[in-house]
Amino acid sequence: MTSLESSGFAEAIEAFAAAESAVESQARAVVERGAVNIKKQLQRELSGSRHFKGIARDVSYDIRTAGAFGGGVIEAEIGPESEPGSAGNLANVAYFGTSRGGGTVPDPSLALAAEVPKFERELARLVGEGL
């Protein structure tokens, strides 16, 4: 018969659960900080456009969280609001253009790409501190 040593196992599980909880609570702040940085870059780029600067005021972000079964998702959606009557409805023209012009504002994915290294560094720091 095989014997299994389990002393300390319950304590280790509790320590990992506590670390996960600490990291998860701070991760939202990291996501929000990244969203703010991206929002500000998009606003700067739009504000610098002669024709599309009015869209800058409609750039915002939303943070959503979801979780189940011990895991969680924290995500941000960043960009111009496209509600009836808002300047944000012209964002696709500003970014991608039409056959008649536009497309003069940098692609928003570049703002995301600029934020990725900082975001990854902050998450790695959190995970390192949590363990």
Side-chain angles (χ1 to χ4, degrees):
M1 179 179 232
T2 303
S3 170
L4 180 65
E5 175 62 39
S6 64
S7 65
F9 187 70
E11 292 83 4
I13 295 292
E14 287 178 26
F16 281 124
E20 177 187 15
S21 178
V23 168
E24 197 172 320
S25 68
Q26 295 175 35
R28 180 182 164 88
V30 172
V31 171
E32 187 147 10
R33 195 170 319 122
V36 167
N37 291 342
I38 293 169
K39 173 190 162 189
K40 286 180 178 180
Q41 182 172 339
L42 295 178
Q43 287 176 320
R44 277 193 308 274
E45 293 168 352
L46 285 161
S47 293
S49 170
R50 180 175 159 204
H51 299 291
F52 300 110
K53 61 184 164 199
I55 300 171
R57 70 177 177 269
D58 288 334
V59 176
S60 65
Y61 69 91
D62 293 312
I63 303 285
R64 287 186 296 275
T65 58
F69 308 109
V73 174
I74 306 167
E75 63 184 8
E77 182 178 342
I78 309 131
E81 295 288 332
S82 57
E83 298 172 354
S86 78
N89 290 326
L90 294 173
N92 62 323
V93 177
Y95 290 124
F96 308 113
T98 70
S99 62
R100 297 179 182 209
T104 57
V105 178
D107 189 315
S109 67
L110 298 174
L112 172 63
E115 186 62 24
V116 166
K118 294 180 267 185
F119 181 78
E120 289 176 338
R121 189 171 43 252
E122 283 301 305
L123 283 183
R125 183 187 59 77
L126 274 180
V127 170
E129 288 176 2
L131 295 178

